[in-house]
Amino acid sequence: MILNRRSFLATTGAAALAGGMGHPAFAQNVTANMILNWRYQGPQGWFFFAQDRGYFDDAGINLTMDQGSGSGAAVVQVAGGSYDLGFGDINAAVAVAAERPDEAPVGFFMMYNRPPFTIAVLKDSDIHTPQDLEGRLLGGAANDGALRLFPAFAKMTGIDTSGIEITNMQANLREQMLRTRQVEGVFGFVNTIRFSAILSGMNPDEEIRWINFADYGMDLYSNCLIASRKLVEEQPDVLRGISAAVNQGLKDTLADPEAAIEAVARRESLIEKDVELARLMATLEDEMSHPEGATYGIGAVDPDRFKRSIDIAVEANDLPNTPAADTIFTEAFLPPLEDRVTTLAKA
C-alpha cells in the first residue's frame, strides 16, 4: 500500500516537524559538489527543499547537486575524486573500503534504513524464487545497486549463476525491456522500478512480481550521504552544516510533500508530479521506515545491525578483509537525536 499525503501525515505526525533550522553557524563560504543517486525524482525533494529554503547557504555552503547514474556509481565517483559528496549505496562503500581503504568515502547521514534491492519479473512468468533465475536472461544498468549486490545475493541463496546471462541496459529502457520480454528480469530499487513502470504504462501491482533481497536474509542498509575522506578530515564543519540542512529539508518535506515535489520540478519540469509525489511517499514508507528510526533517528544506524550488514557484504562478496564499521560510517556530524526525525518508524 502506498500512503497518500493525508494518511501519512496523520500516521507520522509529520506536520509538527516544520520550522526553522535553529543551528549555529558552520563552515563559511565553502563550495562543494554532490552527485545524486539518480536523475531528479521525488525522493530527492528534501535536498532541493534544503537548497531552495537557504539551509545550505545558512551553513556557508555553496552546494551543487548533479543527477546521478546509480547509487553504486555515486560511491565510485566520490572515491575517485570527481565529487566531494554523494548520495549512494553504503554497501558499495564497504567494497571500496575492503579493497582500497585510502579511497573509500565515509557515510555520515543514513537515509534508507530498509533494503530496497530487488529483481523484478513479470507476474505471468514462471520465475517465483531465486533458484528460478538460473539459466535466465536478466538486465540492469551497469551501476545499479541491486546488480552490484547480485553476486552476494546469489551466494546467500545458493543460486547457480553459471547459466545466467546479464545484459547491461540504459536505465530508461529497463521497464520497457521487461514489458516487451527482451529480458526475463531486471535489477533495481523496488520503488524506482514501480513508478518507472507506471510511467511506461504498466500496472506494477498486476504485472510485476518482486524477488526482494531482504526476503532472503540480506538485511542491509542502502542509500546514505557519503563524503570523501579528504572532506571528512579537513572540513568537518561542512558535513555538520550539510547534515543540519538535509535534516531540516526532510522535516519540511514531511510537513509539505507537495512543496517538496515542486522543488524537484524546478530542476526537472517534465516530471509527472502526481507520480513523483507517490514515489516520494512510498520511499518514506518503504525505504526509510525501519523501526530502529524511533530509537536512533533518521540519519543514524543501529550499531549491531550495521556491523552485521558489513559482515554479510564481506562474506558474500569474498572481500579481502572486513572494514571496521567506524571507517565506513560516522555519526559525528549528525544533529542531536532530539533534532532528528524519529516518527517514520512503524510501531
Side-chain angles (χ1 to χ4, degrees):
M1 180 188 73
I2 297 174
L3 296 176
N4 60 34
R5 177 178 181 269
R6 183 181 301 274
S7 63
F8 186 83
L9 295 182
T11 300
T12 63
L17 293 174
M21 282 179 68
H23 61 69
F26 294 102
Q28 295 297 318
N29 302 317
V30 173
T31 297
N33 61 354
M34 174 173 160
I35 181 72
L36 296 170
N37 59 314
W38 207 244
R39 57 186 178 270
Y40 298 149
Q41 294 181 333
Q44 297 160 346
W46 43 74
F47 298 131
F48 303 138
F49 229 164
Q51 188 172 56
D52 289 352
R53 294 193 167 184
Y55 301 150
F56 295 122
D57 292 339
D58 290 347
I61 302 166
N62 178 19
L63 182 66
T64 300
M65 292 180 282
D66 292 339
Q67 298 189 73
S69 59
S71 56
V75 173
V76 173
Q77 288 170 295
V78 175
S82 299
Y83 286 88
D84 304 304
L85 301 139
F87 184 45
D89 179 22
I90 196 66
N91 303 290
V94 172
V96 176
E99 297 170 344
R100 306 188 305 278
D102 292 340
E103 300 176 17
V106 179
F108 65 96
F109 196 115
M110 184 65 66
M111 302 293 293
Y112 292 1
N113 52 25
R114 287 180 182 269
F117 312 106
T118 195
I119 301 169
V121 302
L122 294 176
K123 267 193 178 177
D124 61 5
S125 78
D126 59 353
I127 300 175
H128 295 266
T129 70
Q131 282 66 38
D132 294 334
L133 297 168
E134 295 176 359
R136 307 294 184 139
L137 174 61
L138 308 177
N143 293 308
D144 180 82
L147 176 56
R148 285 174 172 264
L149 283 169
F150 182 60
F153 179 69
K155 183 173 181 179
M156 288 193 68
T157 55
I159 301 173
D160 180 359
T161 61
S162 60
I164 296 176
E165 182 180 352
I166 298 177
T167 183
N168 288 135
M169 60 179 66
Q170 294 295 321
N172 62 342
L173 299 177
R174 174 176 48 201
E175 291 73 29
Q176 175 185 344
M177 290 184 69
L178 179 63
R179 179 174 57 84
T180 57
R181 302 177 192 274
Q182 296 176 67
V183 293
E184 296 175 273
V186 293
F187 295 91
F189 283 16
V190 171
N191 282 321
T192 301
I193 295 175
R194 176 182 295 279
F195 290 97
S196 295
I198 291 172
L199 290 171
S200 73
M202 298 179 71
N203 183 331
D205 293 330
E206 296 181 0
E207 299 180 58
I208 294 178
R209 177 182 300 120
W210 313 95
I211 299 178
N212 295 325
F213 291 15
D215 294 339
Y216 297 90
M218 293 194 74
D219 183 25
L220 304 172
Y221 290 88
S222 179
N223 279 16
C224 180
L225 281 172
I226 59 173
S228 68
R229 290 191 173 270
K230 178 179 175 65
L231 198 61
V232 170
E233 294 169 1
E234 297 181 5
Q235 295 182 296
D237 279 351
V238 171
L239 302 186
R240 293 188 184 95
I242 288 174
S243 293
V246 171
N247 185 63
Q248 188 60 46
L250 177 58
K251 291 181 179 182
D252 291 358
T253 296
L254 295 175
D256 194 348
E258 288 92 344
I261 298 303
E262 291 296 334
V264 180
R266 284 191 283 275
R267 277 82 179 171
E268 178 50 79
S269 61
L270 297 180
I271 66 169
E272 293 192 23
K273 294 179 184 178
D274 290 346
V275 173
E276 294 308 321
L277 177 60
R279 192 198 304 266
L280 168 62
M281 304 309 291
T283 297
L284 291 166
E285 181 184 14
D286 297 335
E287 276 90 350
M288 298 173 64
S289 292
H290 194 285
E292 72 181 33
T295 301
Y296 300 99
I298 301 298
V301 300
D302 176 332
D304 292 336
R305 181 177 170 233
F306 187 61
K307 177 62 169 62
R308 290 194 300 271
S309 75
I310 294 173
D311 291 341
I312 289 172
V314 168
E315 179 179 359
N317 287 305
D318 294 321
L319 295 176
N321 59 74
T322 302
D326 60 4
T327 67
I328 299 170
F329 181 84
T330 178
E331 298 180 3
F333 311 115
L334 290 176
L337 176 58
E338 58 267 24
D339 290 341
R340 298 177 213 157
V341 175
T342 59
T343 54
L344 291 181
K346 296 179 180 179

